Amino acid sequence: MAFLFSGFACFAQFEGEVTYKITYSTDDPTAAAFIGMMPETSTLVIKNHMLRFDQDVAGGGKQSFVANDREKSNRLLMSFMGQEYQVNLNREQLLRLEQTKELEIKKTSKRKMIAGYQCNLATSQLENTPIEIYYAPEIKTPTVLPQFSSLEGLPLKYEVVKGSVHMVYEAIKVEQKPISDLAFDISNSVKEIPFDKFAETFAVKK
């Protein structure tokens, strides 16, 4: 199972919702057969020190990543085949889950309008693949994706490489609006499982 929330940390000053479209490419025929079942969109909800990233997963399930920067908490909520559970993650576990590390970012002078925001282009390498990240300096953030932590703004278009699959996330709607704190709540009734058990079940690399 691919974890596509991509390790979002917390954002500030912007309150609202960002919708991303996701496109996929691969040279692997086996992986290509599954692309049609992958999600086409994802949603990022931000309020002050909190965020929630929601996305469907292949097979009819759903995953949500909920982070609270003030409390330094990161929770993964999984819903699949009628069962729901949550996993609490520290930063080390989060990076292990995403199987990534902070990237060496090279900023450029190139700009592009995305979803109504002027974005700056940065480049890097991910799994030996050149990638581009367009971020909006107007949307200030104390931290961004762990691998993009040197950026000074919210990524509105970025690339993720998972094995043979190349994914591009691009914002198609950025809506500033009031967000209820309830959007970031996870019921205490949702079963919690230890990270080690979760990692073993889903074959997270050590």
Side-chain angles (χ1 to χ4, degrees):
M1 180 179 295
F3 301 98
L4 304 178
F5 56 81
S6 303
F8 273 97
C10 258
F11 300 91
Q13 299 185 16
F14 173 86
E15 181 175 346
E17 183 174 300
V18 182
T19 302
Y20 293 88
K21 71 173 181 180
I22 314 165
T23 56
Y24 306 85
S25 61
T26 182
D27 294 326
D28 182 353
T30 301
F34 291 96
I35 284 180
M37 297 186 291
M38 302 297 285
E40 297 179 354
T41 61
S42 61
T43 303
L44 174 66
V45 179
I46 304 170
K47 181 177 182 178
N48 298 324
H49 55 280
M50 300 178 291
L51 73 79
R52 181 179 180 123
F53 188 73
D54 295 316
Q55 187 167 282
D56 294 335
V57 296
K62 184 177 181 179
Q63 63 183 18
S64 300
F65 176 70
V66 181
N68 186 316
D69 190 54
R70 182 177 297 167
E71 298 178 359
K72 303 301 180 185
S73 67
N74 304 287
R75 289 181 293 170
L76 175 63
L77 178 66
M78 301 289 295
S79 177
F80 191 71
M81 298 184 68
Q83 297 190 7
E84 194 172 39
Y85 56 87
Q86 61 176 310
V87 185
N88 284 308
L89 307 164
N90 59 34
R91 181 176 175 82
E92 180 182 2
Q93 292 167 336
L94 179 61
L95 291 173
R96 178 181 165 194
L97 178 65
E98 276 298 284
Q99 299 171 19
T100 190
K101 60 182 180 180
E102 183 177 346
L103 299 175
E104 182 178 344
I105 301 293
K106 295 181 179 179
K107 297 178 181 179
T108 75
S109 60
K110 186 175 179 180
R111 295 185 176 185
K112 179 179 181 179
M113 289 293 295
I114 299 176
Y117 287 84
Q118 185 70 257
C119 295
N120 296 340
L121 171 66
T123 62
S124 189
Q125 292 271 335
L126 186 58
E127 295 190 13
N128 297 316
T129 301
I131 63 170
E132 295 185 342
I133 310 105
Y134 282 92
Y135 62 99
E138 185 178 343
I139 305 179
K140 298 297 184 181
T141 69
T143 53
V144 290
L145 307 174
Q147 61 266 45
F148 303 149
S149 61
S150 62
L151 295 178
E152 299 172 350
L154 175 66
L156 292 185
K157 183 177 181 180
Y158 61 97
E159 300 175 74
V160 176
V161 180
K162 295 289 186 181
S164 63
V165 180
H166 192 131
M167 295 166 276
V168 179
Y169 286 70
E170 181 171 0
I172 55 176
K173 184 178 181 181
V174 179
E175 184 178 7
Q176 295 195 50
K177 63 180 182 180
I179 301 294
S180 170
D181 288 353
L182 295 176
F184 310 97
D185 284 347
I186 296 179
S187 172
N188 291 331
S189 64
V190 177
K191 180 180 179 180
E192 181 178 341
I193 62 174
F195 175 78
D196 289 343
K197 180 179 179 181
F198 171 78
E200 180 182 352
T201 302
F202 291 96
V204 177
K205 293 180 181 179
K206 296 182 179 180

